[in-house]
Each structure stands twice: as C-alpha cells, then as structure tokens.
Amino acid sequence: MSATNVTTPAKKVTTFGFGQMKQNGEKISMLTSYDYTMARIVDEAGIDAILVGDSASNVMAGHDTTLPITLDQMIYHGASVARAVKRALVVVDMPFGTYQGDSKLALSSAIRIMKETGADALKLEGGEEILESIHRILSAGIPIMGHLGLTPQSIHKFGTYTVRAKEEAEAEKLLRDAHLLEEAGCFAIVLEKIPAVLAERVAKELTIPIIGIGAGHGVDGQVLVAHDMLGMTNGFSPRFLRRYAHLYEEISGAVGEYIKDVKSSDFPNEKEQY
Ligand code: KIV
C-alpha cells in the first residue's frame, strides 16, 4: 500500500483491525495520552491507537522512572482517556508490581483496569519471565500488547536508558521472547530502542503487528510520547524523536503575554467583563 493510499475509517479500531492493517501493509500510528483533553484531540486527528502509557509517571507526575505509578493512578488516566475516545484503540499499561511474579495478581489487576477504564487492551513489559501472567490474562479474554527491548520498568536492572539488544545474546533472547508472545496470543508487540535491523527481522518473522519506538522504519507502526513529539518536554531529545510542534515555547510565550496583560491591567478589557 502506498503512503497516499492510507484509509482512516470512521469505525472503531479493534485488535483484529490491527492485524488486518499489517496484512494490508498499512502502517499503524500510535501516540500516548493520559487525559481527556489530549486524547480527544489525538483521536479526532485520526490516530489508530492511543497508549495510556505508564510514562504518565514521568510526564504527568514528574517522577524519574515509571516505577512509582500505581494501579489506581493508571486507572484514573485510562478512564479519562477512554471517555474521550471514539475511534482509536485504547491500550493501557499495566504498572510495575501489578503483574510480575504472580499471575493471579496479574489477572485481578488486569480485570480492574478493563472494568474501571473502558480500555480495549493492556500492555505488559517482558517476555518469558511474565509468560504465566500473560497466559492467565489472555484466558480471561483480555487482549495484550507485549513490550520488549528497552522496558523502562526494568531500568534498575539495565542501569541506563541506552539502546538494548546490540549484543547477540540479548538479540537472540528478544527474538525468542517475541515468538513466545505471539504464540501465547498477544495481538501486537512494542519494540523500544533496539537496532533497526533486529526490529525489522522481528516484524518479518511475526504475523502480529510490531510497533516501534526508536526501532527504525522496518516495523509495522510507530508510537511516540505525545508530549515529546509536540515539543512540550524540551529537555528530552533522543535520536529517535521527531518534533512536530514546539509547544513549550508556544505555551511559555502565551503565558508571558497573559502575565504582561494582567500586570498592565490590559486584561480583562470592557468586552471581557459582565
Ligand atoms: O509508557 C509509555 O509511554 C510507553 C511507550 C514509550 C511505548 O511504554
């Protein structure tokens, strides 16, 4: 399918539709949102999927890592987004500590998110280590998007946010994990910050869609943190990030104008009062 031949149907995007997009060669667009107002703009602009990422921990709450965000907080963000969205597939991240090492806890956390947010699917970080949780959640009919490569919930194991799977052993494990996730029944996988050649290989070997972030263009779709691509987080400039707006400067300029107008009594004027 050529880039000019992309269809943006009005109907709701489903996990099934995700697979069809890969089969049809249509790239999948995905962005994060954590609140109603942003999700509404992003959905109405025609995005295919919205990720309520646990990056809310950094972007919304100012934490250094994604580890502190809680299940209740993710449910709050997920429900706010789901209320706004009419078309995009809504995927909510399961937060750190709610699914690793205990598949019963994983299922009850997953059910809470699905019941209380109205989301369409969940995303979990990891491969073989969390397979039991994945099987149990899937057995309840809850769709799962996997996440391999740089998995920020494991930052204390990695010690750095640098590119993953550059060495052969880690690349082989990632490939194995990707196949395990597909065999288990995940409907898609996010690959974060890995060599483009490896990501392309995964996308070619698997039939489910592979969504990349810092994983090159040989995959089936792309995801970015909306606040980063809109230029609201101006201190963060990884190589993979393309900025489509410079909202930090825009907002800062607008706030400066407002302050000036308040201080000079220019705002409000006669027409702006009752
Ligand atoms: O939490 C998040 O925003 C994510 C993306 C970076 C893929 O997991």
Side-chain angles (χ1 to χ4, degrees):
M1 172 176 280
S2 75
T4 50
N5 200 15
V6 170
T7 47
T8 305
K11 68 178 186 346
K12 172 83 183 162
V13 180
T14 61
T15 54
F16 178 71
F18 244 55
Q20 284 184 317
M21 287 169 86
K22 173 160 182 159
Q23 276 170 23
N24 296 338
E26 179 175 345
K27 296 269 186 176
I28 298 166
S29 60
M30 186 170 193
L31 280 175
T32 59
S33 295
Y34 318 112
D35 66 85
Y36 178 88
T37 303
M38 179 74 88
R40 208 164 150 200
I41 298 170
V42 171
D43 185 49
E44 288 180 359
I47 204 84
D48 296 314
I50 292 183
L51 173 65
V52 185
D54 60 357
S55 50
S57 180
N58 311 95
V59 180
M60 293 283 104
H63 292 296
D64 285 340
T65 73
T66 57
L67 275 65
I69 200 158
T70 66
L71 186 57
D72 285 339
Q73 287 165 344
M74 285 306 296
I75 288 171
Y76 169 81
H77 289 298
S80 306
V81 167
R83 272 195 292 276
V85 172
K86 292 200 170 66
R87 179 183 170 273
L89 184 83
V90 177
V91 183
V92 176
D93 261 339
M94 291 194 69
F96 177 68
T98 64
Y99 62 95
Q100 300 96 337
D102 180 347
S103 64
K104 286 193 181 152
L105 171 71
L107 179 59
S108 64
S109 313
I111 288 176
R112 267 203 70 198
I113 299 176
M114 295 302 284
K115 265 185 186 291
E116 295 178 37
T117 66
D120 302 306
L122 303 177
K123 178 164 79 59
L124 280 70
E125 294 183 6
E128 193 177 4
E129 320 74 36
I130 59 155
L131 213 51
E132 199 182 311
S133 294
I134 287 181
H135 280 299
R136 204 180 272 266
I137 295 170
L138 286 169
S139 74
I142 299 171
I144 294 181
M145 175 179 271
H147 183 158
L148 300 171
L150 176 63
T151 46
Q153 291 179 12
S154 303
I155 185 59
H156 295 305
K157 180 175 88 181
F158 298 144
T160 156
Y161 286 101
T162 193
V163 180
R164 303 305 317 173
K166 287 208 301 205
E167 307 301 329
E168 203 180 320
E170 197 177 335
E172 285 301 321
K173 174 169 166 31
L174 187 142
L175 209 52
R176 260 196 328 274
D177 280 343
H179 279 281
L180 283 174
L181 294 181
E182 173 162 86
E183 283 155 24
C186 291
F187 75 93
I189 299 174
V190 166
L191 292 181
E192 180 166 354
K193 232 174 166 185
I194 63 165
V197 173
L198 176 61
E200 185 168 1
R201 182 168 168 203
V202 176
K204 285 209 168 109
E205 287 189 15
L206 270 59
T207 56
I208 57 173
I210 304 302
I211 311 297
I213 172 164
H217 63 231
V219 291
D220 307 304
Q222 300 292 331
V223 58
L224 284 176
V225 170
H227 288 69
D228 295 338
M229 60 81 82
L230 292 172
M232 294 174 86
T233 47
N234 68 349
F236 179 66
S237 291
R239 190 206 295 202
F240 67 77
L241 176 62
R242 186 181 293 180
R243 288 197 201 284
Y244 288 83
H246 299 278
L247 294 192
Y248 185 96
E249 289 79 5
E250 282 266 328
I251 294 170
S252 173
V255 171
E257 286 294 307
Y258 169 73
I259 295 168
K260 190 163 65 60
D261 289 352
V262 170
K263 300 276 181 196
S264 66
S265 293
D266 182 73
F267 175 79
N269 63 24
E270 303 261 301
K271 289 189 193 142
E272 291 162 333
Q273 65 189 19
Y274 299 97

